Amino acid sequence: MSAGEDSAAAPGLRRRGLLALLSAASAALGLGGAQASPLKRDEQVLALPGLLWQGDDGQLLADIELWVYENERRPGARSLFARYLGIELGQLSARERALFETRARWFLKDSERGKRLSIELNGQGPLPVNRTDRAGRSSTQISLPGALWSPAWDRAPAQPLAYTVAGRSQSRGRLWPVAAQGLSIVSDIDDTIKISQVRDTRQLLRNTFLAPFEAVPGMAAWLGQMQAAGTQAGRNVQLHYLSSSPVQLLEPLQDFLQGYGFPGGCLQLRESTAWNRLIPDAQDGQRHKLAHLQRLMARFPGRRFVLVGDSGEADPEIYAQAASRHPQQVAAILIRDVTGEAPTAARYRQAMAALPAATPWYLIEDGAQGLAIAQQQGFWL
């Protein structure tokens, strides 16, 4: 989730006094001793989705991403956060207030530094992971026995493998198996498959905190049909959802994907938990997406990629860069038009100048048009 340079600023975003208070509150996040310590009773763990794949030596590798936090207890924090967003709590309807309470609670957390953790996966464990950093995050790549890999995962989309945080059975994570060969569909979320109105900051915040998430028409059906068609053709087709939304939106975004019938896939979000980083600057959002995309392509050199984004942010520029660095891997780029720019616009000419000649790109309006292009071109085969 990010805002364009010409976005209308939300009322609270320009108040220096309030920002100073928020910065002070954010500075308190993650404070703790330098020594590693076990989890306390009131500390909780959010397990983020990750990938599971086979290394060159036959061992399985997995990304384990955890966030340790405790609930914010400082008086007035919820009201302060609402003011930061430019939201008047007293003017909300009952439905808006309920949605705000549900989604804002994930931003009212204190991150916990220096926590020792381990996980249990499919009878393996406890497997220790790295202790949490200042942002309460533990990032670890672990090795698992190769025998855990199912041969069926090489042929068809795999269901995620569940793991739990040791001693916290309610903290469950999901690892998505990705085969070495096949097709990966990488899709942005905001204004690509979910109506967010990123270019209007005020409306973006209201859509994020006060309104039910709404899908772009036809996108769930298109992605599902792409996966089904590729599978019928004997290809392993996996979905990856890549967004610069913060990790606090993991739960509502997962509910959105499931509720609208989007095919399952690993959801990778921005690694930020501070209030004053809710909306990143354009460069931060670009770096996050490009880094994840390039890591994905480097990790799976035998897979082809279809990249789906929108014109409201820098998806065309990011995807063109990725394709120029991995010219044999990108099968196609599809951009949902939300800015009304023609394919001949200077922006596209400049961005696509580095695109390999064999890599097609298309502007689409919705999922139905994307499906028609995919069926005509067959680039997922």
Side-chain angles (χ1 to χ4, degrees):
M1 180 172 65
S2 62
E5 293 181 356
D6 58 348
S7 300
L13 296 180
R14 295 181 181 271
R15 298 172 187 165
R16 294 185 178 180
L18 180 56
L19 281 175
L21 288 174
L22 289 167
S23 296
S26 297
L29 295 176
L31 293 180
Q35 301 300 316
S37 62
L39 288 174
K40 297 178 181 178
R41 182 175 299 178
D42 59 349
E43 292 171 344
Q44 302 176 55
V45 184
L46 177 67
L48 305 177
L51 300 181
L52 179 71
W53 71 99
Q54 288 182 301
D56 295 336
D57 58 359
Q59 281 267 347
L60 291 190
L61 299 172
D63 290 328
I64 304 297
E65 296 281 346
L66 306 173
W67 175 33
V68 178
Y69 62 88
E70 66 176 5
N71 292 327
E72 172 64 76
R73 296 177 179 176
R74 281 167 284 196
R78 181 173 278 94
S79 296
L80 186 64
F81 183 52
R83 288 174 57 199
Y84 171 68
L85 299 175
I87 292 173
E88 295 292 338
L89 294 179
Q91 298 179 6
L92 301 182
S93 67
R95 186 182 75 162
E96 289 174 333
R97 182 62 182 256
L99 281 172
F100 176 80
E101 295 292 340
T102 298
R103 294 175 186 170
R105 65 186 176 91
W106 283 107
F107 293 84
L108 303 175
K109 312 290 185 184
D110 281 334
S111 298
E112 298 300 321
R113 180 181 185 178
K115 295 298 174 178
R116 292 197 306 266
L117 301 164
S118 58
I119 67 162
E120 297 174 348
L121 168 65
N122 204 30
Q124 303 289 321
L127 304 170
V129 298
N130 294 330
R131 70 179 186 176
T132 58
D133 60 18
R134 183 175 180 177
R137 295 292 296 275
S138 170
S139 301
T140 313
Q141 188 177 104
I142 64 171
S143 297
L144 298 165
L148 290 177
W149 185 268
S150 169
W153 295 344
D154 291 315
R155 300 186 298 273
Q159 293 301 308
L161 200 63
Y163 69 90
T164 59
V165 177
R168 299 294 176 97
S169 59
Q170 76 279 11
S171 298
R172 301 176 62 85
R174 297 191 296 176
L175 296 173
W176 292 86
V178 180
Q181 305 290 326
L183 179 73
S184 284
I185 302 174
V186 180
S187 176
D188 174 53
I189 293 180
D190 289 307
D191 288 328
T192 298
I193 63 173
K194 180 173 77 70
I195 297 173
S196 302
Q197 297 177 274
V198 166
R199 290 166 61 83
D200 183 337
T201 303
R202 185 191 303 271
Q203 194 60 49
L204 169 65
L205 293 174
R206 295 192 67 85
N207 288 340
T208 300
F209 289 97
L210 303 180
F213 290 166
E214 183 180 352
V216 172
M219 294 301 286
W222 171 40
L223 295 180
Q225 288 169 325
M226 285 271 288
Q227 186 177 64
T231 301
Q232 291 173 2
R235 299 290 301 277
N236 175 285
V237 184
Q238 191 69 43
L239 267 292
H240 309 262
Y241 298 100
L242 177 58
S243 172
S244 54
S245 291
V247 297
Q248 290 98 324
L249 292 178
L250 174 65
E251 185 177 89
L253 285 175
Q254 286 180 329
D255 291 342
F256 160 77
L257 293 172
Q258 183 176 5
Y260 275 96
F262 283 92
C266 188
L267 176 56
Q268 294 177 307
L269 302 177
R270 181 165 52 89
E271 301 174 1
S272 174
T273 58
W275 285 4
N276 58 1
R277 298 288 293 161
L278 172 59
I279 298 180
D281 62 43
Q283 291 186 346
D284 281 349
Q286 290 182 39
R287 281 193 293 265
H288 159 76
K289 282 188 176 181
L290 186 58
H292 271 285
L293 189 54
Q294 292 198 133
R295 189 179 306 120
L296 196 60
M297 291 182 171
R299 183 174 289 171
F300 301 104
R303 295 185 70 85
R304 295 269 282 168
F305 291 80
V306 172
L307 309 180
V308 184
D310 66 89
S311 62
E313 299 181 272
D315 291 342
E317 291 78 7
I318 294 169
Y319 290 169
Q321 286 186 62
S324 68
R325 298 176 187 181
H326 302 269
Q328 303 304 315
Q329 289 183 260
V330 178
I333 296 172
L334 295 102
I335 301 297
R336 178 174 178 256
D337 177 29
V338 297
T339 57
E341 296 166 283
T344 55
R347 171 196 184 179
Y348 292 128
R349 292 201 308 271
Q350 181 178 357
M352 302 304 174
L355 202 63
T359 304
W361 76 277
Y362 310 89
L363 279 181
I364 63 173
E365 294 182 2
D366 52 28
Q369 190 175 4
L371 177 61
I373 291 172
Q375 290 174 332
Q376 180 181 10
Q377 302 298 327
F379 47 67
W380 72 88
L381 301 178

